[in-house]
């Protein structure tokens, strides 16, 4: 597996069942694993029929389900379109599709929670399922972007890192790197990394500490970005490595917890 890789949805095989390794699913679904074989992270894109149940046992790490359309209900709490369900490590849970629902489900290959990252291990006591609404927990919203953290690895009980950014116009990043492996899944538009094109439904894999640069198309791009643990970014825009978290990057505290 290379340090930078594009997994094209059109080339990913439709799974016979649900390919998420930690979930038992009851009901009708269409799903694909849109992440590279052998990676530390996995990503499933799925369409769930109304009434379909996703059930987690206790053998899993911190995971998240981003709701592209429809709604997932956990313990009477609904996660709407453009929100996310965060299932913290070791927590048994059931999510039910309230209507026909499309999701992006992410998790780590190793179910053991990280212990040696920038923030140390998460607390085991008090872990739960967190429902984060479309406004996120931290956000930056202006004419150039709508960027939200659903989890920035700073909660006491998890180290999940999940961000969504919607850029309505052309976007170009600096040449930079991150200290954690990452998956970037495109929800609208496209991004380019060198000659690689990542279109809607595709996933970009970038290994930790690999330097790269992103360009969007003229119509902008909307994507989610997933990492297993807290990370720092190294970029010429900053004097040194920058902790990638809501407070550290001067985002606004929103705390849209349902």
């Amino acid at each position: 597996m290379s340090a930078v890789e594009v997994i094209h949805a059109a080339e990913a095989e439709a799974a016979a069942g649900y390919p998420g390794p930690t979930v038992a699913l009851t009901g009708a679904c269409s799903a694909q694993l849109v992440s590279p074989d052998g990676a530390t992270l996995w990503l499933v894109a799925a369409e769930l029929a109304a009434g379909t149940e996703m059930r987690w046992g206790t053998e899993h790490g911190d995971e998240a389900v981003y709701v592209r359309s429809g709604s997932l209900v956990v313990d009477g709490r609904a996660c709407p379109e453009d929100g996310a369900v965060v299932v913290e490590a070791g927590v048994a849970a059931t999510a039910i599709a309230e209507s026909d629902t499309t999701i992006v489900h992410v998790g780590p290959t190793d179910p053991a929670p990280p212990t040696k990252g920038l923030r140390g291990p998460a607390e085991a006591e008090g872990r739960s399922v967190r429902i984060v609404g479309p406004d996120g927990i931290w956000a930056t919203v202006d004419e150039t972007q709508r960027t939200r953290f659903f989890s920035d690895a700073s909660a006491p009980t998890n180290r999940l890192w999940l961000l969504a950014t919607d850029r309505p116009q052309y976007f170009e990043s600096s040449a930079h790197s991150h200290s954690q492996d990452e998956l970037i899944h495109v929800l609208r538009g496209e991004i380019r990394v060198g000659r690689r094109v990542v279109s809607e439904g595709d996933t970009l894999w970038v290994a930790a500490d690999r330097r790269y640069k992103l360009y969007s198309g003229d119509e902008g791009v909307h994507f989610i970005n997933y990492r297993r643990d807290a990370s720092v970014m190294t970029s010429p825009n900053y004097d040194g490595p920058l902790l990638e978290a809501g407070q550290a990057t001067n985002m606004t505290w929103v705390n849209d917890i349902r």
Side-chain angles (χ1 to χ4, degrees):
M1 186 176 62
S2 61
V4 178
E5 188 172 332
V6 179
I7 302 85
H8 297 286
E11 299 172 4
E13 294 183 5
Y18 188 77
T22 59
V23 163
L25 189 139
T26 302
C29 81
S30 173
Q32 293 176 295
L33 189 67
V34 196
S35 53
D37 294 337
T40 57
L41 313 172
W42 51 261
L43 183 150
V44 173
E47 298 178 4
L48 310 179
T52 296
E53 293 187 2
M54 303 173 68
R55 298 187 305 279
W56 286 262
T58 57
E59 298 296 320
H60 62 84
D62 296 323
E63 297 185 12
V65 181
Y66 171 81
V67 178
R68 289 196 66 174
S69 66
S71 174
L72 284 180
V73 177
V74 181
D75 296 330
R77 296 172 294 155
C79 180
E81 179 177 329
D82 202 27
V85 178
V86 176
V87 183
E88 296 184 327
V91 176
T94 299
I96 302 173
E98 192 172 31
S99 58
D100 290 348
T101 299
T102 58
I103 62 170
V104 180
H105 180 193
V106 294
T109 303
D110 183 355
T115 60
K116 298 181 179 180
L118 294 169
R119 296 187 182 274
E123 297 173 9
E125 187 70 25
R127 290 177 181 165
S128 63
V129 178
R130 297 160 62 88
I131 308 297
V132 187
D135 292 331
I137 55 170
W138 293 92
T140 297
V141 179
D142 56 33
E143 66 276 4
T144 68
Q145 66 178 304
R146 179 173 177 251
T147 298
R148 297 147 294 137
F149 269 118
F150 297 108
S151 182
D152 68 349
S154 68
T157 50
N158 77 70
R159 292 294 172 262
L160 180 84
W161 195 102
L162 183 67
L163 175 142
T165 189
D166 192 348
R167 306 275 183 162
Q169 55 202 9
Y170 176 78
F171 164 71
E172 179 179 329
S173 76
S174 64
H176 66 284
S177 65
H178 306 280
S179 62
Q180 287 286 323
D181 296 344
E182 63 181 327
L183 294 175
I184 298 173
H185 185 75
V186 175
L187 303 170
R188 177 190 59 79
E190 68 176 30
I191 51 177
R192 295 177 180 268
V193 183
R195 296 182 179 180
R196 301 174 179 89
V197 179
V198 192
S199 301
E200 182 175 336
D202 297 342
T203 301
L204 174 68
W205 153 266
V206 184
D209 301 317
R210 174 58 186 254
R211 186 179 172 91
Y212 69 102
K213 187 171 185 175
L214 293 179
Y215 305 84
S216 78
D218 291 340
E219 302 302 317
V221 65
H222 184 192
F223 62 77
I224 58 172
N225 189 323
Y226 161 61
R227 302 170 202 165
R228 180 173 181 251
D229 201 355
S231 65
V232 295
M233 178 170 63
T234 301
S235 164
N237 292 343
Y238 307 107
D239 293 335
L242 175 70
L243 177 64
E244 298 180 274
Q247 185 173 15
T249 54
N250 297 316
M251 299 175 82
T252 300
W253 175 243
V254 179
N255 201 32
D256 186 7
I257 300 295
R258 304 297 175 96

